[in-house]
Amino acid sequence: MSRNLELAFLHADACSFSAAMAISADLTLKRLKAGQTMFERTSHSFGGRIVNMVGDSVLMAFDSVEGASYAAAEITDHANAARNAETELQPFDYRLGLTTGRVIEESGQLYGHCINMAARIGSLVGRGNLGVERKAWPRARLITAGAQVRERILFAKPDEPSVDFFEVVTTTRSDHALGGVERSRNEPVIALLPLFPRSTDQINKMQSDLLDAFVWDCNGYFASFGWRVVKIVDRGDDVDVSDIAADYIVRCRATVLPIGSRLAVELRSKHVRQGAQSFVRDTDETSPGLSYALALTSLVGSAIAHAERERVANTRGVGSHQLVAAGRECIGGFSAAQFSVGMDYLRAAQRIDPEYPLLLSSLARAHAVAWRFGWLDRTLDHLEIAKTLASKAVKLAPNDARSEADLGFVKLWANEPVDSAWHYERSLDVLPYHPELAADAGMVFGYIGKGEKAATVLEKSIANLPFDADYRLWSLGDVYHSKRDYKNSLKWLSRMADQSQAQRLMAANKVRLGLDPTQHVQNVLALQPDFSVQRWVNIQPFTNEEDRVDFAEALLLAGLPA
């Protein structure tokens, strides 16, 4: 007889078990059994039980997510305490995965998707860390006070769902062994100071909800950049920010307006030349307040990213993280000279930190750009180099949104726009307003005939992050041209601060509108004396041959050489 149950599951998998067996099987088995005894005691203490122990893994079932969460914390504390004692029978570090869901019990055995998911999530987190499935997170997050939390989405194959979870990071001795590499990146530490209302009436609940949304978004958004976030609450208005050891301090407050609410954010940093920066968003009764929290998160994140790039210019506290940020900014422009500077930054970062996933994917992106514009040695197969680097980056960091997007960027120019769009769809789920992702995604969606979606993504990104929008404006102009809306295409292109690389598209738009494209043609040939319409159109990843023909025809009608 079978029955349905709603349970929480905690899966534990020993780290470095195979390596330990190769050194000493006897000692390894003693360490493993000591760990199994600890699991039995811990699961029982928090209302759980051992479902099975297979090899170096353990599966535990609990009546509640809270019970599984406290058991996970106890397991981590026990491992750290035993390690500090330097005993011979030190326990293994364990990767932990926590899920919840409905299962079927039959003849004493449990069956359910959430069981498999617990093992899957556990395999994706770092050594000694805990991964919590998103739907279990609201009830599990009470154990994470003071811990670093990273929002993770593993991009599965196109026919499989993504794995969506939060990783709670612990500090182990093995982490310190890698400290030299990690410190060389010098990722910024960001302190979040939400000023929550003290009382619990309805108005203050609304304020709390808005602040919670902002803090939640910041945790996910900032972690996607590799930044470290520390949350500090209940310190009040009189907090002395000079006492806080962080690179950036983000103080946020929600207030009630006669109609709607206001979310105000102040950013302070020793790395920001202009001192404090303020960001404000007002909502009314019809406005989606939580979306404004995400938009503000994007604005603050963009300001921090700019400051990180400026650190390279003044050479204060520069690590591979700042070098990669500066390199990406340069290669994302439309200037061959800036591209060369960007490559210098990336190569400097490579000398410091050659296995940094975002560096590898950034180099992949650079080689794809070089292939398209001819800005590096043309005897090299830049597209093949880009594929190799992007694939390695995603293997090293399978749940990093920007590395995944860079793989999509490479696939676009490898003439795989449908696969490219799949990568960007998932990246935008994590970073919906990220300017670089929005620009690339809009371009990709335009190439596969999703012009409306492309325009929506780009216009939202430009509205929320209006500065440094040239790349997005150019991409939006491309989207409207593909929709045969030449007037709107010209409108967006004309807003670019540097229109040099938009000249081809502006010439094509003007000739379709019956306007004189002569000046734009001259500008194109000044930039690229060997320009050829046939070569240029052939390297564009159109999925619709009619669009390719239309674009070529417009360039030829404008007077550019065949």
Side-chain angles (χ1 to χ4, degrees):
M1 182 176 178
S2 63
R3 59 175 181 155
N4 291 323
L5 300 170
E6 186 79 25
L7 296 172
F9 290 92
L10 184 63
H11 185 274
D13 190 60
C15 303
S16 304
F17 177 77
S18 298
M21 283 291 286
I23 297 171
S24 172
D26 290 340
L27 180 58
T28 300
L29 289 176
K30 290 178 180 178
R31 292 175 64 193
L32 186 66
K33 288 178 181 177
Q36 290 173 340
T37 300
M38 180 264 294
F39 284 123
E40 289 175 344
R41 184 184 68 251
T42 302
S43 58
H44 179 73
S45 298
F46 296 102
R49 62 186 174 93
I50 301 293
V51 175
N52 59 49
M53 291 186 182
V54 179
D56 59 338
S57 65
V58 180
L59 178 67
M60 293 158 277
F62 297 83
D63 292 333
S64 68
V65 170
E66 290 83 355
S69 302
Y70 280 116
E74 179 76 9
I75 290 165
T76 301
D77 289 346
H78 175 83
N80 288 336
R83 185 182 304 106
N84 292 334
E86 296 292 341
T87 62
E88 185 182 28
L89 292 181
Q90 289 182 3
F92 287 99
D93 288 324
Y94 285 88
R95 293 183 171 90
L96 303 170
L98 194 160
T99 61
T100 185
R102 189 167 294 278
V103 296
I104 297 174
E105 183 182 49
E106 189 169 292
S107 301
Q109 297 293 314
L110 297 175
Y111 305 92
H113 173 67
C114 59
I115 297 175
N116 300 328
M117 189 59 69
R120 182 83 185 278
I121 289 174
S123 70
L124 300 174
V125 301
R127 186 185 189 102
N129 293 350
L130 166 68
V132 182
E133 189 178 20
R134 180 176 288 275
K135 66 180 180 181
W137 179 248
R139 294 163 62 193
R141 61 189 299 184
L142 64 143
I143 67 163
T144 65
Q148 182 184 354
V149 177
R150 299 170 179 164
E151 190 172 5
R152 298 300 195 203
I153 296 181
L154 175 77
F155 303 100
K157 296 178 181 178
D159 58 345
E160 295 180 1
S162 59
V163 183
D164 193 352
F165 64 98
F166 290 83
E167 182 174 1
V168 182
V169 180
T170 60
T171 302
T172 67
R173 185 173 58 183
S174 57
D175 291 328
H176 292 302
L178 298 174
V181 171
E182 296 297 327
R183 282 195 294 272
S184 73
R185 292 180 188 168
N186 201 22
E187 302 98 324
V189 176
I190 301 167
L192 285 177
L193 280 71
L195 299 174
F196 283 99
R198 298 291 181 178
S199 62
T200 57
D201 59 34
Q202 187 61 37
I203 291 177
N204 284 329
K205 182 180 184 307
M206 181 270 293
Q207 293 172 268
S208 294
D209 288 346
L210 197 55
L211 282 172
D212 268 333
F214 177 76
V215 172
W216 183 276
D217 290 334
C218 283
N219 272 306
Y221 193 91
F222 295 169
S224 296
F225 281 82
W227 302 338
R228 288 172 283 171
V229 181
V230 179
K231 180 180 171 185
I232 304 172
V233 297
D234 295 328
R235 296 286 295 276
D237 287 320
D238 59 346
V239 58
D240 184 357
V241 293
S242 63
D243 290 340
I244 300 173
D247 294 284
Y248 300 90
I249 298 168
V250 179
R251 184 153 43 183
C252 47
R253 176 194 295 279
T255 55
V256 178
L257 302 177
I259 300 178
S261 59
R262 169 173 294 169
L263 186 61
V265 180
E266 180 190 73
L267 172 66
R268 288 183 176 273
S269 172
K270 59 187 177 183
H271 306 302
V272 177
R273 293 177 181 174
Q274 61 267 45
Q277 294 176 271
S278 297
F279 307 89
V280 178
R281 281 291 184 274
D282 291 345
T283 71
D284 56 35
E285 292 179 335
T286 62
S287 300
L290 300 187
S291 69
Y292 278 83
L294 181 56
L296 268 179
T297 299
S298 301
L299 280 169
V300 174
S302 186
I304 293 173
H306 275 275
E308 284 296 283
R309 292 192 286 269
E310 285 188 5
R311 291 174 71 179
V312 174
N314 61 30
T315 65
R316 288 190 305 174
V318 175
S320 56
H321 179 85
Q322 289 77 29
L323 289 167
V324 170
R328 287 184 75 93
E329 181 179 47
C330 292
I331 65 172
F334 292 99
S335 160
Q338 279 297 297
F339 179 86
S340 178
V341 173
M343 284 299 293
D344 287 343
Y345 283 139
L346 294 178
R347 285 167 178 155
Q350 194 173 25
R351 290 192 292 270
I352 299 172
D353 196 356
E355 295 296 302
Y356 188 7
L358 187 58
L359 164 66
L360 294 173
S361 70
S362 301
L363 282 168
R365 183 184 183 86
H367 280 283
V369 171
W371 173 85
R372 186 172 184 233
F373 291 102
W375 285 345
L376 284 179
D377 183 356
R378 295 190 182 187
T379 64
L380 297 176
D381 189 342
H382 290 294
L383 205 53
E384 197 58 40
I385 294 171
K387 289 179 185 177
T388 301
L389 289 167
S391 298
K392 182 177 180 181
V394 169
K395 284 181 181 177
L396 287 171
N399 50 356
D400 180 79
R402 290 192 296 167
S403 293
E404 190 74 24
D406 288 337
L407 179 57
F409 185 85
V410 171
K411 287 196 171 187
L412 172 67
W413 301 113
N415 207 26
E416 301 175 40
V418 175
D419 277 357
S420 175
W422 178 83
H423 290 291
Y424 276 109
E425 290 268 12
R426 281 145 185 80
S427 297
L428 286 172
D429 284 343
V430 180
L431 297 172
Y433 292 111
H434 191 286
E436 186 181 80
L437 262 63
D440 292 343
M443 180 170 56
V444 172
F445 295 151
Y447 276 121
I448 65 172
K450 294 185 177 180
E452 292 299 327
K453 182 169 186 174
T456 299
V457 168
L458 285 162
E459 288 181 14
K460 278 187 176 179
S461 175
I462 292 167
N464 281 287
L465 293 168
F467 45 86
D468 290 346
D470 273 8
Y471 189 19
R472 286 168 286 155
L473 289 166
W474 176 79
S475 188
L476 189 54
D478 199 28
V479 167
Y480 275 109
H481 181 88
S482 69
K483 294 170 66 177
R484 314 300 197 264
D485 187 347
Y486 307 117
K487 186 176 180 180
N488 260 324
S489 180
L490 269 179
K491 180 191 80 172
W492 290 106
L493 293 171
S494 66
R495 288 178 54 182
M496 294 175 63
D498 178 358
Q499 298 176 4
S500 58
Q501 290 297 324
Q503 298 301 306
R504 291 175 298 274
L505 200 51
M506 295 181 88
N509 283 321
K510 282 198 172 180
V511 78
R512 290 301 191 193
L513 291 169
L515 303 174
D516 182 9
T518 304
Q519 186 60 56
H520 300 301
V521 170
Q522 292 174 355
N523 292 339
V524 171
L525 295 177
L527 286 167
Q528 294 176 271
D530 60 346
F531 181 85
S532 158
V533 170
Q534 183 177 4
R535 180 186 177 277
W536 184 255
V537 172
N538 283 344
I539 67 171
Q540 308 307 310
F542 290 105
T543 56
N544 184 334
E545 195 59 30
E546 183 182 343
D547 289 341
R548 189 187 301 274
V549 171
D550 178 78
F551 188 39
E553 183 182 83
L555 293 175
L556 290 169
L557 287 173
L560 284 162

